[in-house]
Amino acid sequence: MLVLRRIMALIVKEFITIMRDPKSRFVVIGPPLIQFFVFGYAATFDVTRVRYAVLDEARTSESRQLLAAVDGSQHFRRVRNLTAERQIDEVINLQEARMVIHLGPDFSRRLLSGEQAPLQVIVDGRNSNVAAVALGYVSAIVQQYNAQRQTGFILKNSSVMGPRLVGRAWFNANLLSRWYIVAALGGTISMVVVMILTSLSVAREREFGTFDQLLVAPFTSGEILLAKAIPGITFGLLDSLFLAAAGVWWFAVPFRGTIAALIVTLFIFMLSIVGLGLFVSALSTTMQQALLGSFAFIMPAVILSGFTTPIENMPGWLQIATYANPMRYVVRVLRQIFLEGADLSLVGPQLWPLCIIAALILPPAAWLFRHRSQ
Amino acid sequence: MTALRASLMRIRGLLRKEMLQVRRDPSSILLALVMPLLLLFLFGYGVSLNPNHVPVAVVASDTGAAARELAARFALSPYFVPLSVKTLNQAEELLKEKKVDAIIHIHENFSADLLTRGGAPVQVIINGVDANRARLLQGYTQGVVQTWVAQEQRRGVLPAGSAAVVVLPRIWFNEANESRNFLVPGLMVLIMTLIGTLLTALVIAREWERGTMEAILVTPVRVFELILGKTLPYFFLGLSGLGLTVAGGVLLFAVPLRGSLLLFMLLASIFLLASLGFGLAISAAVRVQFVAAQIAVIAGFLPAFFLSGLLFDLESTPLPIQLVSHIIPARYFVEICHTLFLAGNIGPVLWSATWPLVVMAIVFFTVVRRKLSGKRLE
Amino acid sequence: MKTTEVVLQASALGKSFSRKGKAPVIALDALSLRVKAGAVTGLVGPDGAGKTTLLRLAAGLLLPDAGSISVLGLDSASQAIEIQSRIGYMPQQFGLYQDLSVQENLELYADLQAVPLSLRPSRFAELLQMTGLGDFQKRRAGALSGGMKQKLGLACSLIKKPRMLLLDEPTVGVDPVSRRDLWQIVYKMVADEGIGVLMATSYLDEADRCAEVVVLYEGRKLAEGTPAEFRDKLKGRVFTLTPPAGGPPPRLLQTHLAGQPGIIDVMIRSGRVRCVVEAELAARLKSGHSELFPAAAYDKIELSEPSFEDAFMALVPKADLRPKNAASLSPEPDPVPGAVSRRDEIMVSAHNLTKNFGAFTAVREISFEVGKGEIFGLLGPNGAGKSTTFRMLCGLLKVSGGEVQVAGRDLRRAGSRARAQLGYMAQVFSLYRQLPVRSNLEFYGRAYGLSGARLRQRINWALDEFHLRGREESPAGLLPAGYRQRLAMATALLHEPAILFLDEPTSGADPLARREFWLRISGFAAQGVTVVVTTHFMEEAEYCDRLLIMSRGTELVQGAPAAIRRLAQSPENPEPTVEDAFIVLAEGRLPAAAPTGAQGVES
């Protein structure tokens, strides 16, 4: 009873300190919201309205038909018609256009005489992803154009169609990369908030001397740990659930899984992050050290989590290293829940590494409370 | 003693102090020299947009020769690691468990349908969670099928189709379209922002917190000397961090540097000044390290990551985001890095990205001067 | 000496600071004053009197709202740079770069003041010799003791032979020996160069050494004049009472007299009680009639020479900040004074206590015992190892050697039950600054297991006893320094601990707050609370039952204040203070018969 009352007092104090300090309050509420909306829009691999220029030396109905198909696509926006080949250099170099479609003078002649008609596509490779995606779109348009011509040809010559690709994407039929980013964005942002909040919590008390006062009071290390962890977990959970809701209602990301799975996942994830945050905090003596320490964790954790770029693209040895990164699991599981409709039984097996991380990091953090000062 | 000599002496004193402090504070060194290497390493290895060795399930329900040959094609592609699966159900399970990223389904009647007017559909099911990756995989699959068709037509197994338009792609500046060549130059921006903005914001706020600012302000030091004393050391620290990253990027990751190194260093210096000016302005406005660090991260570091075009293409974002990105110095420097590393010395592009940086640097330093003018404590 | 030259002149100077959403704080209000060259002018006043603001305005670091201030004939608002190249200014926390060495700090300020290179070697040598820092040239400023840091700060502000020196409490937290050194340097500058010095100080004995003193109170000038003029006003109103041998300790007499009508100030000096009284009471005393001073309680009542401190106490208006009488200290019935002190029951003991930080030994084989109801003082200059010893007692630091027991247990290993018995007040204010007073009290009350009606009762007690009513809802960090200290003490006492640990509780407090604090401590000890306290104010030693004076981690002497004072007794100094004794001991002039060991000498 006495112990419970003591812990409650400590927990209540932690909450009041966070909510009363305008700086802490700001960290918990302001940046997560701004970041979520700005990054929700900015962090996209989708490519829209690519500026392109045309050098049509054929000027035939065939070439115009093909170009009309390109113009009709929402992916491209024609900004200039070129008249000479040397202009291509200029247009690409000066970034007037990011792609140039070049049809040679013999384009229609070759096409009508049954030869292959080359369509030269020059892409600015400075952004490799835009280049790859734009090329993909052009290929798709050209393929469709070919297929149309093929249909007519088959009818005329009673020829055969050959194999044709029927593509379908599961979980994200329109291939919106915003779904991919936003599903994991809330978890990532909350991780940053919780990490900074908890890593500062003990360091700040040390810097202001209040930690000694706590250590002299009849609290055990475990009680302090519990009281420090609960606000971090609570704010992290509230933040990430709120951002999840915002993702569904604002960014129209589907939520196909169960809410229970989401809550359990976020709770276990926050537990491990709070553990890491408190460990960094218990290790540092000043707030600057704590901030730098949490930064040193956040950067690699985000980059090696598969949040922005797939883990599968990394070299094998680095992929193995990512198993130690708690972010890796939660990014994966959040996408499973949102997009693949995973429930608790499906995400369960992914969560035990997070439990292990939490179990490994919390006891040393508590031990350090009392033993950091020699 | 002339006023000039006295001024030079004061500047020397401030510079020497700052350099001694940097040398003795491990966290500055950590941020300036270890962090760039760590980031370079992470970006060089950890961040790649090029899928390869993608596990795919190939369900060849047809055992005909044509189907077998098409299936074998996937094994030859460097992009795929095909996994032969008996039934579509099994394959779908694998896809759900994320054991494979895509399913290539060749129907039972594939070989027969191939010679009909309707054609033989090859079903491709891709896990679309990572939309970007899915799109690239779709392209790769298409490539594999098309190459096979062309070969079969040449061999006469398939009748020649209609004349077709073939796309002859040429990717300028990055022929192999290696994402590393795109990411590593952009990384320079992150590193310079870290040193320029975060470190300077912290070091001046620290002087306020420790009370050393009061003792400095009460000496006959002039405001511009004070600013110079704070700018120069971190300027050189930033340049050395940058040098380290450039060398690492070019030597370790074979990123091309097609423009002039000298020009790059010059433009980088201008960006660094803007970035330092921003850091100084933050710490002149708020004198508490904690708040300064928060602002530096939220207004400096994160936009440099998300709103600069370093990873995500700005032109594809909604208009308001694009407008906001224009007030972010990092955006212009990303442009400069991409152009100088991959394209070369292209004057007009570089100039249109440089003058906004010059303007920003001037604005930030004017703010700093204003804030410190009169050297008052309030 | 050109005493006529005025180096600083303020006329109708006004300065206020705006606060968000609140009325602005008026720091200085229509202040006029002059500082002459060739002398030290002292600036005294309680916390918040405006001393620092005045010095910052003079140095051109702030702009006045009204009136003007000129230094060396230059206006500080428009000619700040010119002033700054002619003066030396030492802020309260001098801006030494902790990670730069002594030499590097000197060079930095020499560069900033543009001292020609050719003059530097001789100037550095002179300053290093003056400050006694010659042997520490290569040491980082952060590794210097408090006194050495202040001396280095002074050296840095003297680097270009200034024509005027502005010093903001240069001796705060500095041990007596270093304090004397600092004064010698300043006097030498005044005598040799004829410069003017304006020095803010909260040590009133230092004001006595100034040529002129200005008393500030709430931004206004309360009085000015030479210390002698101040003292003369109190002639005939200062009495020294000698308690009878074997009677109650002087501390109890002081507690008894404090706050009685007609008494302005009571303190303990060299084992006697010194009293400043109202003129009317003085007249009655002289005629031998006063119910306050029954003849039986004292051996002797003598008239004493007033000091500046007496004059200051009589001058500065005091709100009723005295603690209520002893009965209100706790709800329990008032114990008989002196009766609870059972020295035989050992509450705190240390045996051969040693602490090493790497190769550096911070504390070497310290042993002592503290009995129930005793006030035990750990005295010594900054860096002597007091705080380290203290933190080991509280279980905050691991012991390298020896043993520590508090209430029969080692706190580092004992569970939370043992810690519940002690109250702790840290050196720096260490409550939650953003939490209001009441929340702080509630939190610490609950932390120590109080709840419900009992908690409410104790909080009400604390609010009344420490005059915190009306401030319950203001965040602790925004309280004035004096109130913060009261709150810290209130939290330490909320759960009625058996043992009270107080680490430098009076450091940086103004004279008024220090008096109030010690009166309270005496009251608690009288009720049987064991008190262990560290301090670097040697005169506060008088309030302790027994002391341990430390220097460089080792024990210099241990015993009752009277016994320690006797060590410095000599024909030239028949009535030495503890401070005199410390200087004698620190300089190694240790007399043959020094009382040492845990037993010491009982008074």
Side-chain angles (χ1 to χ4, degrees):
Chain A
M1 205 38 224
L2 188 70
V3 176
L4 265 178
R5 217 159 31 218
R6 211 158 60 199
I7 299 176
M8 268 316 290
L10 196 51
I11 294 174
V12 168
K13 185 228 55 169
E14 289 294 326
F15 273 104
I16 306 179
T17 4
I18 293 172
M19 291 321 288
R20 278 193 72 100
D21 179 16
K23 284 176 235 152
S24 306
R25 206 164 50 205
F26 178 68
V27 169
V28 175
I29 298 165
L33 271 183
I34 301 167
Q35 286 166 21
F36 184 75
F37 287 104
V38 171
F39 303 155
Y41 282 115
T44 171
F45 286 115
D46 296 342
V47 175
T48 55
R49 297 172 60 74
V50 175
R51 287 172 288 119
Y52 85 107
V54 171
L55 176 56
D56 182 4
E57 291 177 302
R59 294 170 190 278
T60 56
S61 62
E62 285 78 18
S63 74
R64 273 193 286 274
Q65 206 185 340
L66 180 61
L67 288 173
V70 176
D71 286 331
S73 139
Q74 51 162 4
H75 303 301
F76 297 101
R77 176 161 60 102
R78 197 194 297 199
V79 290
R80 197 170 154 191
N81 291 312
L82 307 180
T83 49
E85 207 169 331
R86 57 178 165 75
Q87 288 175 316
I88 297 177
D89 266 32
E90 182 193 315
V91 166
I92 296 280
N93 278 343
L94 299 184
Q95 296 185 325
E96 215 176 303
R98 307 176 99 179
M99 184 177 85
V100 174
I101 295 182
H102 181 196
L103 298 115
D106 54 353
F107 177 77
S108 288
R109 187 189 56 74
R110 278 168 169 263
L111 205 56
L112 295 173
S113 65
E115 284 175 66
Q116 296 216 319
L119 176 81
Q120 210 181 13
V121 181
I122 296 119
V123 207
D124 182 346
R126 270 174 273 198
N127 185 328
S128 65
N129 193 54
V130 172
V133 174
L135 265 180
Y137 289 146
V138 176
S139 299
I141 293 168
V142 168
Q143 218 201 359
Q144 212 176 3
Y145 175 80
N146 284 343
Q148 272 166 10
R149 287 183 49 81
Q150 180 89 358
T151 321
F153 178 82
I154 292 165
L155 289 176
K156 254 201 311 218
N157 303 336
S158 61
S159 176
V160 300
M161 188 71 181
R164 100 192 119 80
L165 230 46
V166 182
R168 189 150 66 88
W170 274 14
F171 312 127
N172 186 0
N174 295 322
L175 292 181
L176 295 172
S177 77
R178 178 169 295 156
W179 288 13
Y180 171 71
I181 297 283
V182 171
L185 185 60
T188 308
I189 289 175
S190 314
M191 183 278 284
V192 175
V193 172
V194 170
M195 192 69 200
I196 290 178
L197 203 64
T198 50
S199 73
L200 288 177
S201 71
V202 178
R204 177 173 38 213
E205 292 221 25
R206 271 203 223 277
E207 213 169 309
F208 285 118
T210 50
F211 205 63
D212 281 353
Q213 204 89 45
L214 275 190
L215 290 179
V216 169
F219 291 112
T220 64
S221 295
E223 289 166 18
I224 298 177
L225 183 81
L226 188 68
K228 290 266 165 206
I230 284 178
I233 294 177
T234 311
F235 283 111
L237 213 53
L238 286 179
D239 259 357
S240 49
L241 286 175
F242 175 76
L243 295 183
V248 173
W249 280 305
W250 187 265
F251 287 111
V253 176
F255 185 82
R256 300 179 176 137
T258 61
I259 290 178
L262 182 71
I263 290 175
V264 169
T265 303
L266 288 174
F267 176 78
I268 294 175
F269 173 60
M270 287 306 159
L271 194 67
S272 66
I273 292 302
V274 161
L276 283 161
L278 286 177
F279 184 75
V280 168
S281 200
L283 215 54
S284 10
T285 48
T286 63
M287 295 204 277
Q288 183 178 343
Q289 285 175 5
L291 265 178
L292 281 175
S294 49
F295 236 69
F297 165 78
I298 290 172
M299 295 244 281
V302 172
I303 291 173
L304 299 179
S305 68
F307 169 53
T308 51
T309 57
I311 291 177
E312 293 85 346
N313 294 357
M314 296 173 196
W317 54 271
L318 202 55
Q319 289 194 31
I320 292 167
T322 63
Y323 284 104
N325 179 6
M327 272 293 285
R328 175 208 158 96
Y329 302 98
V330 82
V331 163
R332 167 91 193 91
V333 170
L334 282 176
R335 286 179 183 146
Q336 273 188 319
I337 294 173
F338 273 89
L339 306 178
E340 299 176 25
D343 57 11
L344 211 48
S345 62
L346 216 74
V347 300
Q350 308 266 358
L351 295 179
W352 62 262
L354 287 176
C355 298
I356 291 180
I357 291 171
L360 283 181
I361 204 75
L362 283 166
W367 185 83
L368 275 173
F369 286 164
R370 237 169 245 288
H371 295 83
R372 175 67 178 83
S373 56
Q374 316 233 343
Chain B
M1 180 175 304
T2 64
L4 179 69
R5 278 198 58 191
S7 176
L8 286 176
M9 196 176 268
R10 287 192 294 263
I11 294 171
R12 185 189 69 168
L14 288 172
L15 288 180
R16 193 160 51 185
K17 172 214 71 170
E18 206 68 38
M19 284 187 235
L20 284 170
Q21 277 194 303
V22 168
R23 225 171 53 204
R24 286 174 194 168
D25 180 6
S27 68
S28 316
I29 298 283
L30 201 77
L31 200 63
L33 301 174
V34 179
M35 202 65 131
L37 286 179
L38 178 76
L39 278 174
L40 180 70
F41 180 81
L42 284 175
F43 266 67
Y45 287 117
V47 179
S48 167
L49 294 167
N50 302 122
N52 48 30
H53 306 298
V54 179
V56 289
V58 178
V59 187
S61 306
D62 183 5
T63 46
R68 277 208 314 275
E69 266 177 56
L70 179 59
R73 277 276 153 184
F74 282 94
L76 290 177
S77 158
Y79 300 118
F80 297 110
V81 180
L83 191 71
S84 244
V85 178
K86 286 271 178 313
T87 67
L88 190 60
N89 274 345
Q90 269 179 311
E92 286 182 351
E93 275 311 304
L94 287 174
L95 189 67
K96 274 186 196 148
E97 288 164 23
K98 215 168 188 283
K99 298 258 168 62
V100 297
D101 284 338
I103 302 170
I104 316 282
H105 184 203
I106 302 169
H107 286 262
E108 300 99 69
N109 306 325
F110 179 77
S111 304
D113 285 349
L114 207 51
L115 300 170
T116 65
R117 277 193 182 175
V122 176
Q123 197 182 14
V124 183
I125 303 169
I126 299 183
N127 183 336
V129 169
D130 182 349
N132 194 51
R133 186 176 163 85
R135 227 165 1 230
L136 295 173
L137 291 186
Q138 254 181 358
Y140 294 156
T141 333
Q142 202 152 46
V144 170
V145 175
Q146 265 175 356
T147 336
W148 178 73
V149 171
Q151 188 199 317
E152 295 297 280
Q153 284 176 338
R154 269 199 307 280
R155 283 171 52 197
V157 177
L158 278 178
S162 70
V165 178
V166 286
V167 175
L168 295 182
R170 274 198 53 205
I171 302 173
W172 279 15
F173 313 130
N174 189 0
E175 285 68 21
N177 210 24
E178 183 65 58
S179 71
R180 191 180 281 166
N181 289 351
F182 152 63
L183 292 169
V184 170
L187 175 63
M188 316 284 161
V189 180
L190 273 194
I191 287 163
M192 311 260 279
T193 305
L194 269 183
I195 298 172
T197 305
L198 188 61
L199 197 57
T200 35
L202 282 179
V203 290
I204 299 180
R206 190 173 60 193
E207 296 229 12
W208 285 111
E209 272 184 1
R210 293 189 183 168
T212 48
M213 202 49 130
E214 189 175 349
I216 292 272
L217 285 182
V218 83
T219 65
V221 73
R222 310 302 198 267
V223 174
F224 89 89
E225 293 162 1
L226 206 60
I227 296 174
L228 204 64
K230 275 291 172 197
T231 313
L232 275 184
Y234 295 97
F235 181 76
F236 285 114
L237 206 60
L239 278 192
S240 47
L242 182 75
L244 213 61
T245 331
V246 172
V250 171
L251 300 177
L252 219 60
F253 295 113
V255 174
L257 176 58
R258 300 207 170 97
S260 133
L261 181 64
L262 212 64
L263 185 62
F264 176 69
M265 281 302 183
L266 177 76
L267 298 185
S269 308
I270 294 172
F271 170 68
L272 195 51
L273 283 179
S275 185
L276 283 167
F278 186 47
L280 286 169
I282 292 174
S283 61
V286 288
R287 298 170 179 183
V288 186
Q289 285 191 72
F290 176 69
V291 185
Q294 286 287 327
I295 296 180
V297 168
I298 289 163
F301 182 74
L302 289 175
F305 198 104
F306 284 94
L307 294 177
S308 65
L310 158 77
L311 185 59
F312 304 108
D313 184 43
L314 275 175
E315 281 188 46
S316 304
T317 58
L319 194 66
I321 302 273
Q322 289 191 40
L323 290 180
V324 169
S325 79
H326 281 280
I327 57 164
I328 289 162
R331 174 217 161 100
Y332 300 99
F333 191 54
V334 166
E335 187 89 58
I336 290 172
C337 287
H338 284 158
T339 301
L340 270 179
F341 269 86
L342 301 175
N345 304 331
I346 299 170
V349 174
L350 294 177
W351 170 240
S352 68
T354 304
W355 70 259
L357 288 179
V358 175
V359 171
M360 284 182 201
I362 292 171
V363 169
F364 288 139
F365 275 99
T366 317
V367 170
V368 175
R369 232 205 113 86
R370 279 264 168 84
K371 281 268 168 201
L372 292 176
S373 74
K375 301 197 294 171
R376 312 289 174 194
L377 283 176
E378 294 173 89
Chain C
M1 263 196 245
K2 299 175 283 176
T3 41
T4 45
E5 194 195 337
V6 173
V7 287
L8 182 147
Q9 177 149 21
S11 39
L13 193 62
K15 178 75 192 168
S16 57
F17 295 101
S18 52
R19 286 180 301 177
K20 207 166 25 177
K22 285 185 196 151
V25 184
I26 295 163
L28 287 179
D29 190 9
L31 179 74
S32 298
L33 95 162
R34 288 157 161 246
V35 176
K36 295 190 190 104
V40 179
T41 303
L43 196 58
V44 298
D47 290 333
K51 302 187 295 268
T52 300
T53 308
L54 176 62
L55 292 174
R56 285 181 171 170
L57 281 165
L61 290 174
L62 294 173
L63 282 175
D65 296 336
S68 68
I69 181 164
S70 68
V71 175
L72 302 166
L74 299 159
D75 180 50
S76 85
S78 56
Q79 292 166 294
I81 290 271
E82 285 81 356
I83 292 176
Q84 286 159 359
S85 52
R86 287 172 177 79
I87 61 159
Y89 169 73
M90 194 177 158
Q92 220 169 66
Q93 285 295 307
F94 189 79
L96 290 172
Y97 287 89
Q98 310 283 324
D99 33 13
L100 262 57
S101 70
V102 169
Q103 179 74 23
E104 285 159 354
N105 268 296
L106 282 174
E107 276 170 13
L108 168 64
Y109 285 96
D111 277 342
L112 291 177
Q113 288 287 0
V115 177
L117 292 174
S118 54
L119 299 180
R120 284 188 198 183
S122 59
R123 186 69 187 149
F124 286 175
E126 191 185 348
L127 286 169
L128 287 172
Q129 189 260 329
M130 228 192 311
T131 51
L133 287 168
D135 296 339
F136 303 102
Q137 256 171 296
K138 295 254 179 297
R139 187 178 291 193
R140 299 217 178 146
L144 295 175
S145 74
M148 286 201 261
K149 274 183 196 157
Q150 290 301 93
K151 281 191 255 182
L152 177 56
L154 185 60
C156 287
S157 50
L158 289 174
I159 206 121
K160 196 190 174 177
K161 298 206 172 171
R163 290 185 46 213
M164 161 149 215
L165 200 51
L166 301 168
L167 304 170
D168 194 358
E169 308 212 4
T171 52
V172 160
V174 173
D175 64 88
V177 180
S178 303
R179 205 143 72 97
R180 208 185 47 185
D181 293 348
L182 277 167
W183 271 94
Q184 275 168 1
I185 299 170
V186 172
Y187 278 133
K188 188 168 156 24
M189 291 296 297
V190 173
D192 294 358
E193 321 272 340
I195 65 169
V197 177
L198 180 61
M199 171 197 259
T201 180
S202 57
Y203 291 83
L204 297 176
D205 58 327
E206 289 183 345
D208 256 331
R209 300 185 217 174
C210 297
E212 271 196 74
V213 183
V214 178
V215 180
L216 286 188
Y217 184 75
E218 292 182 343
R220 293 163 187 273
K221 187 167 70 184
L222 214 55
E224 72 182 315
T226 63
E229 284 165 3
F230 280 97
R231 287 195 299 265
D232 285 347
K233 289 192 189 123
L234 279 193
K235 274 241 155 61
R237 281 166 59 187
V238 181
F239 295 87
T240 305
L241 317 173
T242 312
R251 211 173 65 215
L252 287 177
L253 298 178
Q254 184 212 12
T255 323
H256 167 71
L257 287 174
Q260 302 278 14
I263 305 262
I264 293 169
D265 187 33
V266 204
M267 72 199 111
I268 305 174
R269 281 289 174 275
S270 303
R272 296 182 208 169
V273 178
R274 189 183 166 99
C275 252
V276 182
V277 301
E278 305 276 8
E280 187 253 352
L281 181 61
R284 277 195 287 145
L285 260 176
K286 273 179 219 154
S287 60
H289 304 290
S290 172
E291 61 285 3
L292 271 178
F293 298 89
Y298 311 94
D299 269 0
K300 263 197 300 196
I301 301 184
E302 301 162 287
L303 208 55
S304 291
E305 266 308 296
S307 66
F308 178 80
E309 183 164 359
D310 301 326
F312 178 80
M313 296 309 292
L315 203 59
V316 172
K318 275 171 287 186
D320 178 28
L321 296 177
R322 307 259 154 238
K324 309 252 166 113
N325 58 44
S328 73
L329 290 175
S330 107
E332 272 78 49
D334 194 14
V336 188
V340 211
S341 189
R342 289 198 298 277
R343 305 275 163 88
D344 49 321
E345 193 180 331
I346 299 299
M347 295 301 282
V348 179
S349 76
H351 185 66
N352 284 338
L353 198 56
T354 300
K355 178 70 195 173
N356 304 313
F357 292 107
F360 172 66
T361 304
V363 173
R364 193 189 302 271
E365 294 179 359
I366 297 285
S367 302
F368 59 85
E369 284 178 345
V370 186
K372 188 169 160 59
E374 222 182 346
I375 301 182
F376 186 82
L378 278 170
L379 266 77
N382 302 66
K386 298 186 305 276
S387 281
T388 309
T389 308
F390 195 79
R391 290 171 67 78
M392 283 193 284
L393 290 179
C394 299
L396 290 170
L397 270 183
K398 212 164 101 189
V399 175
S400 306
E403 271 176 65
V404 152
Q405 290 216 316
V406 175
R409 284 179 232 234
D410 176 356
L411 281 186
R412 199 159 171 86
R413 265 172 256 137
S416 56
R417 194 104 44 89
R419 283 200 297 274
Q421 288 190 46
L422 61 114
Y424 171 79
M425 186 172 159
Q427 189 169 356
V428 286
F429 176 70
S430 60
L431 300 180
Y432 296 97
R433 284 155 198 265
Q434 60 272 65
L435 296 190
V437 169
R438 185 181 284 280
S439 301
N440 264 304
L441 288 171
E442 279 173 357
F443 168 62
Y444 283 106
R446 293 213 172 92
Y448 284 93
L450 301 179
S451 62
R454 180 93 184 109
L455 179 64
R456 272 198 303 280
Q457 184 200 350
R458 290 303 292 166
I459 289 179
N460 284 333
W461 166 80
L463 293 173
D464 290 333
E465 170 65 24
F466 292 90
H467 305 277
L468 291 163
R469 283 253 181 247
R471 295 180 189 266
E472 293 102 315
E473 299 311 321
S474 94
L478 296 181
L479 288 177
Y483 283 92
R484 276 196 219 167
Q485 206 175 19
R486 276 186 214 136
L487 176 61
M489 197 154 165
T491 31
L493 285 163
L494 206 59
H495 58 290
E496 298 171 87
I499 307 167
L500 203 49
F501 284 101
L502 307 164
D503 193 4
E504 298 270 356
T506 52
S507 181
D510 66 36
L512 296 173
R514 263 155 51 199
R515 281 201 177 35
E516 189 195 323
F517 171 84
W518 279 106
L519 281 171
R520 274 210 180 90
I521 291 296
S522 304
F524 290 118
Q527 289 169 55
V529 176
T530 307
V531 181
V532 179
V533 58
T534 69
T535 177
H536 65 266
F537 287 98
M538 293 295 161
E539 77 254 25
E540 293 185 345
E542 296 288 352
Y543 299 102
C544 301
D545 291 308
R546 282 189 311 120
L547 323 161
L548 192 159
I549 301 186
M550 297 180 74
S551 176
R552 292 179 192 172
T554 53
E555 177 186 309
L556 282 182
V557 71
Q558 187 173 160
I564 289 173
R565 276 197 313 272
R566 275 200 294 277
L567 295 176
Q569 218 162 27
S570 64
E572 306 89 67
N573 192 355
E575 279 195 17
T577 60
V578 174
E579 178 159 349
D580 295 331
F582 174 79
I583 294 177
V584 167
L585 291 164
E587 289 176 347
R589 295 189 270 130
L590 192 75
T596 48
Q599 276 67 44
V601 182
E602 293 294 325
S603 56

